[in-house]
């Protein structure tokens, strides 16, 4: 697989699709299954405003790239596939760990928390979710990959496709810049209070608080951008969790 213009466009498109699908998966998971959302509210997943999670975009790109790894040196076809899926799961787990560590070290923020899962490392990765990645890798390899390759190459030949990809990344960059500014403010108060702010629990707290005050909450913008509001909310959030201990 050479890195020509077609391949670059395909990787860019896969990042977009993966980010979008990942956001949908996370929103559903956090609504119905997450222990960090006890009130079972619909919560905009991730740290960006828009409906996309970059980690899943990078993960789908990883699956696409790894699907081309030659494993023919292993005679058993079953073992070939198991090795390939294990490599895919390990690669995505490594991405997950790196992303989680960057936010913890750089922002004092936890975007997700596996602290209650067996075998977890710093609450960022754990065997259970690595197994999920392996299952998703198999689904991608057998169901998605063989059916989309020809379509992706066909799309990459059309100017409209390139314009669409460019438009997405323009919006994405603006969203990323805005969201990082907000996270910098959150980091300031998290460091002042010497905590790792669990963003999912914090969003759940804000939704419950605003509902009690009969304030309508925006699904896409649950975090308020002013320093005063964020500071007050984080302090109240800390007190609430201290009272539960």
């Amino acid at each position: 697989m050479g890195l020509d213009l077609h391949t670059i466009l395909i990787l860019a498109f896969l990042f977009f699709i993966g980010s979008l699908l990942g956001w949908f998966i996370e929103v559903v998971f956090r609504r119905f299954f997450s222990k960090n959302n006890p009130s079972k509210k619909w919560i905009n997943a991730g740290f960006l405003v828009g409906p996309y999670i970059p980690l899943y975009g990078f993960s789908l790109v990883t699956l696409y790239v790894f699907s081309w790894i030659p494993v023919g040196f292993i005679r058993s076809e079953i073992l070939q596939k198991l090795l390939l899926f294990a490599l895919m799961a390990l690669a995505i787990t490594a991405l997950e760990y790196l992303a989680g560590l960057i936010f913890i070290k750089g922002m004092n923020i936890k975007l997700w928390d596996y602290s209650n899962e067996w075998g977890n490392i710093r609450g960022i990765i754990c065997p259970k979710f690595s197994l999920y990645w392996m299952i998703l890798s198999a689904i991608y390899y057998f169901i998605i990959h063989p059916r989309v390759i020809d379509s992706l190459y066909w799309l990459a030949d059309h100017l409209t496709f390139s314009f669409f990809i460019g438009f997405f990344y323009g919006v994405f960059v603006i969203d990323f810049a805005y969201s990082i500014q907000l996270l910098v403010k959150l980091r300031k108060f998290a460091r002042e209070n010497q905590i790792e702010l669990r963003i999912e629990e914090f969003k759940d707290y804000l939704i419950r608080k605003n509902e009690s005050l009969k304030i309508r909450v925006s699904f896409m913008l649950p975090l308020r951008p002013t320093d005063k509001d964020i500071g007050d909310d984080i302090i109240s959030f800390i007190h609430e969790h201290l009272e539960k201990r």
Side-chain angles (χ1 to χ4, degrees), residues 51-69:
Y52 29 73
I53 298 180
L55 177 60
Y56 280 86
F58 286 117
S59 297
L60 186 57
V61 169
T62 299
L63 293 181
Y64 174 79
V65 173
F66 272 58
S67 66
W68 298 98
I69 292 178

Side-chain angles (χ1 to χ4, degrees), residues 88-104:
M88 289 175 169
L90 286 173
I92 297 175
T93 299
L95 281 175
E96 190 176 27
Y97 183 75
L98 179 62
L101 201 61
I102 287 173
F103 277 92
I104 289 176

